[in-house]
């Protein structure tokens, strides 16, 4: 991995638009897994010397890889299962045309180059239909999965007896109260929303603004940061990934995220898109006003915001597990404790704070 570090980093940068620093950190973690698992195996064998070798191995383990961390996350599963004597089948994110296929292939190729037999480590890019066949197959005894909750449920339904180690998605909800420095908050929030190619599961999907927060100022600060960003790729100096959505996906398209296009282009009941409009005011108070719209303006891949304008119609529990450049502001007539209680009722959230 040290020798192939450049190739591993480049594949992340050029396909899923991670910055050099983001990709470098992932390769560090991948390399550390390669150091850790042989040490753990040596320790385990030393503590269990009565174990006997099984020339036929322990069976077949399938690794279904995520798009957001296509090297580090599968590396943890691959190293552990190879060390334990499994034949490992690696299915990268999406189909053969998925952006994240290349970074995972570089990981697998590095292991082949290091001497792992291709019979023991199988590379199997395929579309979702063939992936369902793979997870339901009798010889698939154990499976490691990182991805959406809906896909995890589909895997369980296709093979109820399958032993699964799963990590499903979720997004963060951030609570803002009157003590918040909104200018600093806006910069941190937007960058957290769009970094790692907008695929970081700890990225935020919504803001709950408690009673007393200046909603107009909050909108203005967030939109100001968003408007200063440009669409591009990892080689663009100030970038936002533009590979998540290039056109409206077909419902059955491999890798198409259910609800992504609709979430980026269509407000739900009680929501409006918000934008910076024309200048208003005089002198030092002159600034662009915030406008509301029932339709997405411009490129839906650019970071943008929704505002809950009618809480009586808005289904807070319906906030989706969406990995895209959009977030919703939810004003409430309560305090931080009320906001945290609301977050506790949701299934699509990872954390809230």
């Amino acid at each position: 991995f040290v020798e192939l570090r450049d190739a591993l980093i480049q594949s992340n940068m050029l396909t899923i638009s991670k910055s050099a620093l983001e990709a470098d950190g992932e390769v560090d973690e991948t390399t550390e897994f390669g150091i850790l698992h042989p040490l753990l195996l040596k320790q385990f064998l030393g503590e269990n010397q009565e174990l006997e070798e099984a020339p036929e191995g322990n069976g077949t383990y399938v690794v279904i890889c995520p798009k957001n961390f296509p090297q580090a996350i599968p590396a943890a599963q691959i190293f552990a299962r190879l060390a334990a004597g499994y034949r490992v089948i690696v299915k990268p994110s999406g189909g053969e045309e998925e952006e994240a296929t290349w970074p995972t292939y570089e990981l697998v190729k590095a292991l082949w180059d290091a001497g792992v037999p291709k019979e023991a480590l199988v590379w199997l890019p395929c579309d979702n239909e063939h992936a369902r066949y793979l997870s339901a197959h009798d010889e698939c005894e154990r499976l490691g999965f990182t991805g959406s909750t809906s896909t995890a449920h589909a895997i369980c339904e296709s093979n109820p007896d399958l032993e699964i180690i799963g990590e499903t998605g979720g997004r963060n909800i951030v609570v803002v109260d009157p003590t918040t420095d909104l200018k600093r908050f806006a910069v941190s929030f937007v960058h957290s929303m769009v970094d790692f190619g907008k695929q970081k599961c700890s990225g935020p999907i919504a803001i709950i603004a408690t009673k007393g927060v200046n909603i107009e100022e909050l909108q203005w600060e967030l939109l100001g940061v968003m408007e200063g960003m440009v669409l591009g790729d990892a080689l663009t100096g100030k970038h936002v990934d533009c590979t998540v959505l290039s056109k409206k996906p077909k419902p059955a398209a491999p890798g198409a995220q259910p609800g992504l296009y609709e979430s980026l282009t269509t407000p739900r009941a009680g929501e409006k898109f918000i934008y910076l409009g024309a200048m208003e005011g005089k002198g030092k108070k002159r600034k662009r006003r915030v406008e509301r719209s029932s339709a997405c303006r411009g490129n839906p891949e650019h970071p943008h915001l929704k505002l809950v304008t009618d809480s009586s119609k808005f289904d807070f529990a319906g906030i989706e597990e969406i990995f895209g450049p959009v977030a919703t502001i939810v004003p409430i007539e309560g305090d931080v404790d009320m906001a945290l209680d609301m977050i506790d009722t949701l299934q699509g959230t990872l954390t809230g704070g």
Side-chain angles (χ1 to χ4, degrees):
F1 287 105
V2 174
E3 294 175 0
L4 297 174
R5 185 179 190 84
D6 288 350
L8 291 166
I9 291 175
Q10 289 168 9
S11 63
N12 265 297
M13 292 178 64
L14 298 177
T15 53
I16 56 174
S17 293
K18 288 190 176 181
S19 69
L21 286 176
E22 292 167 352
D24 182 71
E26 176 157 6
V27 174
D28 275 344
E29 188 175 1
T30 302
T31 304
E32 288 164 2
F33 281 130
I35 297 170
L36 171 66
H37 286 290
L39 295 175
L40 291 176
L41 177 62
K42 184 177 180 180
Q43 178 183 347
F44 177 78
L45 293 177
E47 296 171 352
N48 299 272
Q49 297 185 14
E50 73 282 1
L51 294 177
E52 297 180 0
E53 289 188 8
E56 70 280 5
N58 280 326
T60 300
Y61 189 92
V62 174
V63 178
I64 298 182
C65 309
K67 176 181 177 179
N68 56 353
F69 292 91
Q71 291 170 345
I73 289 179
Q77 301 268 2
I78 293 169
F79 287 133
R81 299 305 161 176
L82 287 175
Y86 285 88
R87 176 175 179 247
V88 179
I89 298 175
V90 179
K91 188 269 178 195
S93 174
E96 294 184 1
E97 300 302 320
E98 172 70 42
E99 309 94 274
T101 298
W102 180 21
T104 309
Y105 176 75
E106 290 292 343
L107 165 65
V108 172
K109 182 176 178 295
L111 287 167
W112 288 340
D113 292 345
V116 176
K118 290 187 177 181
E119 295 79 10
L121 180 60
V122 180
W123 171 249
L124 189 62
C126 61
D127 59 25
N128 291 343
E129 187 62 36
H130 289 90
R132 281 190 285 271
Y133 172 82
L134 179 65
S135 62
H137 198 280
D138 290 341
E139 293 189 23
C140 177
E141 301 167 289
R142 294 174 175 82
L143 182 144
F145 170 76
T146 304
S148 71
T149 305
S150 60
T151 302
H153 284 305
I155 292 172
C156 292
E157 291 170 4
S158 69
N159 192 346
D161 296 327
L162 182 63
E163 182 181 313
I164 300 176
I165 297 176
E167 178 189 357
T168 56
R171 303 303 301 276
N172 286 346
I173 294 183
V174 182
V175 180
V176 172
D177 73 359
T179 67
T180 304
D181 183 329
L182 297 181
K183 184 180 290 293
R184 293 180 62 185
F185 166 77
V187 173
S188 298
F189 180 89
V190 173
H191 282 276
S192 182
M193 188 173 80
V194 302
D195 62 6
F196 289 90
K198 298 187 290 290
Q199 296 297 302
K200 185 174 66 173
C201 59
S202 58
I205 189 64
I207 301 167
I208 299 180
T210 64
K211 185 177 181 179
V213 172
N214 187 329
I215 300 299
E216 181 180 350
E217 183 182 354
L218 173 62
Q219 296 174 102
W220 194 86
E221 294 291 355
L222 289 164
L223 291 170
V225 176
M226 290 179 174
E227 191 167 83
M229 305 186 108
V230 295
L231 289 176
D233 56 33
L235 302 182
T236 307
K238 191 176 184 181
H239 80 279
V240 175
D241 168 56
C242 62
T243 62
V244 170
L245 183 73
S246 56
K247 59 183 178 180
K248 184 173 182 178
K250 297 178 181 178
Q257 186 182 155
L260 173 59
Y261 184 85
E262 289 73 17
S263 181
L264 295 180
T265 59
T266 308
R268 291 172 297 159
E271 282 184 334
K272 293 282 189 181
F273 285 107
I274 54 176
Y275 301 92
L276 287 178
M279 297 292 291
E280 63 179 4
K282 296 181 179 180
K284 293 182 178 179
K285 294 185 178 180
R286 182 173 172 79
K287 65 179 182 179
R288 295 172 65 182
R289 68 170 179 264
V290 176
E291 298 178 350
R292 300 175 181 178
S293 172
S294 297
C296 179
R297 300 178 186 174
N299 191 334
E301 295 176 33
H302 197 281
H304 52 295
L305 284 173
K306 298 175 186 178
L307 173 71
V308 174
T309 55
D310 188 345
S311 58
S312 66
K313 296 180 180 178
F314 180 72
D315 178 18
F316 184 77
I319 288 180
E320 310 100 324
E321 184 188 52
I322 289 296
F323 288 82
V326 61
T328 299
I329 301 174
V330 186
I332 63 171
E333 289 296 318
D335 59 10
V336 171
D337 288 336
M338 178 181 176
L340 295 177
D341 287 342
M342 294 173 68
I343 293 171
D344 282 341
T345 66
L346 301 181
Q347 295 185 6
T349 55
L350 194 64
T351 62

